[in-house]
């Protein structure tokens, strides 16, 4: 049985073969085809560093139809990160490639109580413009199973102008 996933990709370090972070993200999007059928790809956007990272990121999203279960897909994405040169290290630091499952056609998923377990929807995606902007391009009507908001609505809420405090 096939499931559909929304996968976010990001990079802020050069790769010896794929070059700048934008090239790394584009190459990773191509590699995802080995995990199923990529039915939609966003454009690659630039975003500001987050946390301890010092370099700007390149970010994108794709929709993937795959026979893999959520935990198997996550394991395959982590193997792909390692193949691109990602090393374990400081959380929120610079990285050659970061891949996350944001949503899937099966609704909410939790793979255990551990902090490093898989959680779908991704726990922080609704607060991250660099995830929502590309995701909205490829799946604007997909809904967060917890809030009920479509990705286009979540992006609008995150980016709408707010009045200055008095």
């Amino acid at each position: 049985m096939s499931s559909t996933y929304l996968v976010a990709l990001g990079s802020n370090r050069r790769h010896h073969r794929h070059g700048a972070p934008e090239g790394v993200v584009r190459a990773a999007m191509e590699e995802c085809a080995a995990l199923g059928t990529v039915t939609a790809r966003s454009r690659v956007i630039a975003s500001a560093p987050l946390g301890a990272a010092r370099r700007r990121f390149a970010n994108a999203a794709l929709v993937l139809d795959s026979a893999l279960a959520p935990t198997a897909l996550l394991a395959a994405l982590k193997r792909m990160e390692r193949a691109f040169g990602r090393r374990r290290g400081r959380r929120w630091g610079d990285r050659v490639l970061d891949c996350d499952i944001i949503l899937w056609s099966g609704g909410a998923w939790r793979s255990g109580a551990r902090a490093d377990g898989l959680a779908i929807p991704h726990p922080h995606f609704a607060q991250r413009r660099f995830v929502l902007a590309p995701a909205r391009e490829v799946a604007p009507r997909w809904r967060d199973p917890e809030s009920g908001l479509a990705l286009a609505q979540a992006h609008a809420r995150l980016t709408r102008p707010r009045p200055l405090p008095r």
Side-chain angles (χ1 to χ4, degrees):
M1 186 166 110
S2 183
S3 295
T4 305
Y5 296 90
L6 176 64
V7 178
L9 304 100
S11 172
N12 73 339
R13 297 199 65 179
R14 292 186 64 77
H15 185 271
H16 65 279
R17 187 173 343 131
H18 305 298
E22 182 176 335
V24 173
V25 170
R26 288 186 194 289
M29 292 171 92
E30 293 297 322
E31 289 292 319
C32 283
L35 307 176
T37 302
V38 177
T39 60
R41 290 181 174 98
S42 74
R43 62 191 168 92
V44 179
I45 65 166
S47 60
L50 180 68
R54 298 179 308 269
R55 300 176 178 105
R56 292 184 59 78
F57 276 85
N59 295 96
L62 58 82
V63 176
L64 177 71
D65 288 337
S66 179
L68 295 174
T71 52
L73 178 60
L74 180 65
L77 291 171
K78 296 305 166 193
R79 281 192 303 275
M80 187 169 70
E81 288 177 355
R82 287 189 300 277
F84 271 72
R86 176 146 183 201
R87 301 291 175 252
R88 294 183 61 93
R90 187 172 58 189
R91 186 177 168 107
W92 306 105
D94 294 327
R95 58 200 57 187
V96 175
L97 181 63
D98 185 34
C99 302
D100 290 306
I101 300 171
I102 304 303
L103 295 170
W104 79 306
S105 57
W109 173 281
R110 298 286 181 271
S111 67
R114 294 187 346 217
D116 61 345
L118 175 61
I120 304 173
H122 188 282
H124 307 293
F125 89 95
Q127 296 97 36
R128 296 178 174 168
R129 186 179 296 190
F130 61 87
V131 172
L132 284 174
R136 175 188 64 163
E137 281 185 32
V138 295
R141 291 191 209 85
W142 274 43
R143 292 192 177 274
D144 175 351
E146 293 178 353
S147 72
L149 293 175
L151 292 179
Q153 293 170 311
H155 183 266
R157 281 191 178 185
L158 184 65
T159 60
R160 75 173 175 242
R162 291 180 172 72
L164 293 173
R166 293 181 185 224

